[in-house]
Amino acid sequence: MKNTKNNIISDWLQENQNPQIDKLVEKNLAIANKIHQLLEERGLKPADLARLLDKKPSEISKWLTGTHTFTTKTIVKIEIALGVDIIHIEPQKEYIYFKVMVNDNVLPEALDFEQSHVETTTDGEKKAI
């Protein structure tokens, strides 16, 4: 006899599949696996990570199941504790600066800042350095 309960669940999951949830689960599992790998490479156990992060071992165990949704803040804490990037994204460096003007004159401090943080390209564009 076939297990109809499993068929009902499988059918429901197939009909109500959500690509966003699937992708989220995939990412969470990949992050958890990466953390496992990093711990193993360093000869550490999840309990060691718990100690480094001042967390309960049970919380770390839940994280490493792959069902935990990691925040960027949590990932950064783990990266700092392990001394390595879990997720590597090139940061975009873009600076915005303001000239401070008083009576139509730029304050000297603004000019000093501009000279030390901005360079003019050959085509006359200003670029942050």
Side-chain angles (χ1 to χ4, degrees):
M1 178 177 171
K2 257 185 164 178
N3 188 343
T4 56
K5 184 176 181 181
N6 283 342
N7 289 339
I8 291 170
I9 293 170
S10 296
D11 292 344
W12 185 89
L13 287 171
Q14 190 68 29
E15 291 171 16
N16 297 289
Q17 186 176 9
N18 183 331
Q20 291 175 338
I21 292 174
D22 292 346
K23 190 73 169 176
L24 179 65
V25 170
E26 181 184 310
K27 296 279 185 182
N28 289 333
L29 199 52
I31 292 168
N33 287 336
K34 179 72 174 186
I35 294 168
H36 272 293
Q37 175 191 352
L38 292 169
L39 289 174
E40 189 175 290
E41 288 171 4
R42 285 159 177 69
L44 299 172
K45 297 183 184 324
D48 298 319
L49 182 60
R51 185 179 38 76
L52 289 169
L53 297 174
D54 197 28
K55 299 283 184 187
K56 293 182 181 179
S58 60
E59 185 174 358
I60 302 301
S61 292
K62 287 178 188 175
W63 289 3
L64 298 179
T65 62
T67 57
H68 176 77
T69 301
F70 290 92
T71 64
T72 307
K73 184 176 181 179
T74 299
I75 292 169
V76 168
K77 285 180 182 180
I78 296 168
E79 288 176 335
I80 290 170
L82 298 179
V84 67
D85 284 349
I86 294 169
I87 299 172
H88 181 75
I89 300 170
E90 287 294 325
Q92 297 296 314
K93 293 186 179 182
E94 185 174 315
Y95 299 96
I96 298 174
Y97 67 96
F98 300 95
K99 289 185 180 178
V100 180
M101 302 194 65
V102 176
N103 297 331
D104 294 327
N105 293 317
V106 178
L107 292 181
E109 295 85 7
L111 289 173
D112 290 344
F113 178 85
E114 183 175 6
Q115 289 169 356
S116 64
H117 292 81
V118 176
E119 70 181 23
T120 304
T121 61
T122 54
D123 59 358
E125 293 281 321
K126 294 197 180 224
K127 158 179 123 168
I129 54 174

